[in-house]
Amino acid sequence: MFRFLRKMTFLALPLALAVTAGCSSASTNSAGSSISPSPSAEATASAAVVEASPNPGGKTTYPLSIENYTLSTESGSYQPKTQTFEKAPERIVANTQSAAEILIRLGLTDKVVGVAALYGDVEADIAEEFAKIPVLSEGYVGKELVVGASPDIVLGRGDLFADADWGVGTVDALNELNIATFVQNNSRPGAVLNDLYKDIEQLGQILDVQDKAQELVQSLQQRAKDLETKYAGNQEQSFAFIGSSTPDSIAIYSANNDTFQAEALSLLKVTNVFADVSGEISAEQLVAKNPDFLVISDYKGGPDINESVKNIYDNPALQSMSAIQNKKVYIIDFNDFWGYGYHIFDGVEKLGENLSKAS
């Protein structure tokens, strides 16, 4: 969720954003704290638009057209735009760590010429590979550095395709420079877990690694099934996202557009109490909803997470809440949930373990 970290950036994050589509999800309490390649998009007559229909065991036939997206600069909404590839891209910029990690899992490390937004730990088994990738910025990266890496394609989280100091440039602007783009389907509002699988399958087609993509998708689908089975007997629980907390304020994040995360969390039989809420959310509203537990995300370069949790427990306005009384404030990893990669399952598994310990 770019929306989330950018919002938290206004608090203390190394980002300075107000997400194109999600600022309304950030909340404040009365103290006023905020949460925190081919150049053309048009398909050629000889290239069929592909909708995640991989050909396991086969090679990609080029030219290949993939139906993808551009973002409206006026409304921040996602609009269809086709990307056409005459051959497999050779130079890739990933606008987030998680996108680069997917490429590593697909055996494409040597093609990645830049990565940004390093907000989590890299898994030990791919750390050596990840270290080979040039880091354009440890935070979000701007268009100048991205274009300077001479990519054939820029791919990753959708709301980072923007003309801002934190954005890689718009889809249209990059396409005009003969740089292809791939907006992750699962980073759009309304996305679900199947969109993550679709992203991996389509990247497998674009980059001609369909077998590896299918292997990765199948392993992730199995993880989802295993989680659902493991927690099938659990009682339904409710929760709320805390965006930030200080000694005298708390910010609640509605996550009303974060449907990808919501579906993943539903594997644990837990529901966000503010999933249908837009605009600001007060501490009073949080108390009235009285969710079973609270979650707050941790990320590299962010505020001291233990201090943030202490502030939640010590907040006088929250003392009547069962989550406070029962010590049910859980830390989740930002990169797991808002990296829009396969780490979503790591995050869900960790939270599930914490919930089980507390039962």
Side-chain angles (χ1 to χ4, degrees), residues 86-354:
E86 299 298 329
K87 63 178 183 177
E90 294 292 331
R91 298 178 61 83
I92 310 167
V93 165
N95 68 20
T96 66
Q97 173 183 331
S98 292
E101 288 168 336
I102 290 174
L103 295 171
I104 292 172
R105 296 289 179 193
L106 296 180
L108 298 166
T109 306
D110 293 344
K111 291 190 175 184
V112 186
V113 296
V115 63
L118 311 187
Y119 291 118
D121 294 325
V122 178
E123 294 164 302
D125 66 324
I126 61 170
E128 187 174 342
E129 288 294 291
F130 194 91
K132 298 176 182 177
I133 300 174
V135 176
L136 302 182
S137 171
E138 292 190 357
Y140 294 122
V141 66
K143 179 180 176 182
E144 184 176 356
L145 288 176
V146 169
V147 174
S150 301
D152 301 322
I153 184 172
V154 179
L155 59 85
R157 198 167 73 203
D159 42 18
L160 291 173
F161 286 91
D163 276 334
D165 56 2
W166 46 260
V168 298
T170 66
V171 167
D172 294 341
L174 290 170
N175 291 169
E176 288 173 3
L177 294 173
N178 293 338
I179 300 171
T181 51
F182 182 82
V183 172
Q184 287 178 275
N185 294 280
N186 73 327
S187 64
R188 299 174 300 114
V192 293
L193 287 175
N194 278 341
D195 288 301
L196 171 61
Y197 311 145
K198 179 178 180 179
D199 285 332
I200 296 169
E201 289 172 341
Q202 289 190 321
L203 288 173
Q205 293 171 296
I206 293 168
L207 296 158
D208 199 13
V209 286
Q210 297 189 50
D211 285 351
K212 288 183 179 292
Q214 282 301 297
E215 289 174 9
L216 180 55
V217 166
Q218 289 168 9
S219 69
L220 297 179
Q221 290 172 328
Q222 187 61 53
R223 289 182 73 178
K225 291 178 182 177
D226 291 345
L227 282 164
E228 187 172 29
T229 300
K230 181 176 182 178
Y231 294 99
N234 278 25
Q235 289 188 333
E236 298 281 351
Q237 295 188 71
S238 61
F239 71 94
F241 289 108
I242 303 303
S244 67
S245 64
T246 68
D248 56 4
S249 70
I250 187 169
I252 301 99
Y253 174 66
S254 76
N256 61 321
N257 284 323
D258 295 341
T259 50
F260 172 70
Q261 293 80 4
E263 187 186 38
L265 286 165
S266 73
L267 298 171
L268 303 178
K269 299 187 72 174
V270 301
T271 305
N272 173 16
V273 294
F274 293 117
D276 297 326
V277 176
S278 297
E280 295 184 356
I281 302 170
S282 67
E284 290 76 16
Q285 288 173 287
L286 177 63
V287 172
K289 286 287 189 180
N290 195 27
D292 295 305
F293 64 95
L294 305 175
V295 293
I296 183 169
S297 72
D298 186 23
Y299 54 92
K300 285 186 175 182
D304 185 292
I305 192 62
N306 294 315
E307 188 66 26
S308 295
V309 171
K310 182 179 184 300
N311 291 334
I312 295 171
Y313 281 128
D314 292 347
N315 192 308
L318 309 182
Q319 295 309 301
S320 65
M321 294 181 62
S322 57
I324 301 301
Q325 296 173 2
N326 297 327
K327 300 297 181 183
K328 291 188 175 182
V329 178
Y330 300 112
I331 299 168
I332 59 176
D333 186 272
F334 173 85
N335 203 51
D336 285 350
F337 283 90
W338 289 283
Y340 295 97
Y342 59 81
H343 289 299
I344 188 71
F345 296 108
D346 298 330
V348 171
E349 287 168 354
K350 293 170 193 173
L351 181 58
E353 290 168 3
N354 283 329

